[in-house]
Amino acid sequence: MFFNFFIFSTVIQGFYVVTGLLFSKTGLHQDSIALLDAGNMHTALQLLIFFIVNDFVQWITHIGLHKIPVLWNFHKVHHSVKEMGFAAHLRYHWMENVLYKPLKTFAVMILFGFEPEMAFMVHFFSISIGHLNHANIKLSYGPLKYLLNNPVMHIWHHSKELPKGQTVGVNFGISLSIWDYIFKTAYIPKVNGEIELGFDKDEEFPQGFLKQNVYGFRT
Ligand SMILES: [Zn+2]
Ligand SMILES: [Zn+2]
């Protein structure tokens, strides 16, 4: 929490302030390249579009983190949790921020030209859903499970054993589960009892903070 949410986000925020300043010096207005006229759009609609697009882009990036071996080595930090708990949501390699951000920024620039003013509300909502997804509770929001990612669904994303014939993973959703249902990557078997978390050969994965941080750069 201290490293990812405090130190690293402060550093990356500074980086975007600097690039924003350099961008404004080019004289190119960000909203001049936007597809949508956000100025004439209701704030709630802006936020909804922002939320859906952001989530879809993250869903695609997340699949990339599993499919591409170099990226998977960074994502292993998140999958090294052996027990669910909200803090598992905060356990990830800082390179994930670097990998997720460009595609998200690109999509938002194309659509709006800039991040909607109230975007922080979407971020808070996503963080809350993310914390709940990693909570060790049997909660699936009833019929809303087809729309929202939930603890019951996300625990199978962390399962060490993958369904037969699957090598990459299942349930890649971040806040929304709908993408997994549309693209047939949803998997929620009806079983009770303990689910072993982790990944293949996770016993060889380093335990310490520093070693986990350098692992992705070395392998
Ligand atoms: Zn994952
Ligand atoms: Zn997770």
Side-chain angles (χ1 to χ4, degrees):
M1 191 187 287
F2 184 71
F3 186 82
N4 281 348
F5 269 49
F6 181 67
I7 301 184
F8 192 76
S9 43
T10 311
V11 171
I12 204 151
Q13 208 50 44
F15 172 76
Y16 280 101
V17 169
V18 172
T19 30
L21 281 173
L22 291 175
F23 193 80
S24 64
K25 290 258 184 291
T26 62
L28 179 72
H29 274 284
Q30 284 167 297
D31 47 351
S32 63
I33 51 168
L35 284 180
L36 299 173
D37 184 6
N40 288 327
M41 206 182 269
H42 193 280
T43 312
L45 185 63
Q46 263 187 48
L47 292 179
L48 184 69
I49 298 174
F50 175 70
F51 170 65
I52 295 172
V53 170
N54 235 353
D55 194 72
F56 184 58
V57 166
Q58 291 190 95
W59 179 80
I60 295 174
T61 314
H62 190 188
I63 293 183
L65 289 177
H66 280 262
K67 271 198 170 170
I68 304 164
V70 191
L71 307 186
W72 168 235
N73 282 333
F74 289 115
H75 192 47
K76 276 178 182 171
V77 175
H78 181 64
H79 281 269
S80 69
V81 285
K82 298 304 275 180
E83 197 178 316
M84 282 305 211
F86 87 93
H89 183 216
L90 308 169
R91 186 192 181 92
Y92 61 87
H93 196 285
W94 55 267
M95 270 296 281
E96 288 199 17
N97 283 334
V98 178
L99 297 164
Y100 273 110
K101 195 78 184 177
L103 208 58
K104 279 202 292 185
T105 311
F106 180 67
V108 169
M109 293 253 299
I110 295 289
L111 278 177
F112 297 103
F114 56 90
E115 221 177 70
E117 221 169 275
M118 309 281 270
F120 68 92
M121 286 171 66
V122 170
H123 294 311
F124 281 139
F125 180 68
S126 305
I127 288 173
S128 310
I129 293 276
H131 279 3
L132 273 165
N133 290 343
H134 293 89
N136 205 0
I137 47 175
K138 224 173 182 176
L139 185 69
S140 64
Y141 317 136
L144 280 180
K145 67 182 176 192
Y146 297 109
L147 196 64
L148 288 176
N149 197 5
N150 52 76
V152 173
M153 188 172 195
H154 196 63
I155 200 164
W156 288 105
H157 178 66
H158 281 266
S159 168
K160 182 162 181 164
E161 206 182 310
L162 291 172
K164 274 199 177 71
Q166 254 286 1
T167 49
V168 181
V170 290
N171 305 350
F172 299 99
I174 308 290
S175 299
L176 293 173
S177 58
I178 196 164
W179 314 123
D180 285 308
Y181 285 106
I182 294 176
F183 298 100
K184 304 214 171 0
T185 44
Y187 174 74
I188 305 157
K190 283 192 174 40
V191 289
N192 279 313
E194 298 233 334
I195 304 162
E196 191 187 353
L197 307 186
F199 51 88
D200 193 31
K201 298 199 181 78
D202 59 1
E203 55 285 343
E204 292 165 19
F205 191 65
Q207 300 277 322
F209 176 76
L210 285 175
K211 282 189 176 161
Q212 288 196 353
N213 263 290
V214 293
Y215 177 87
F217 296 106
R218 291 177 135 191
T219 42

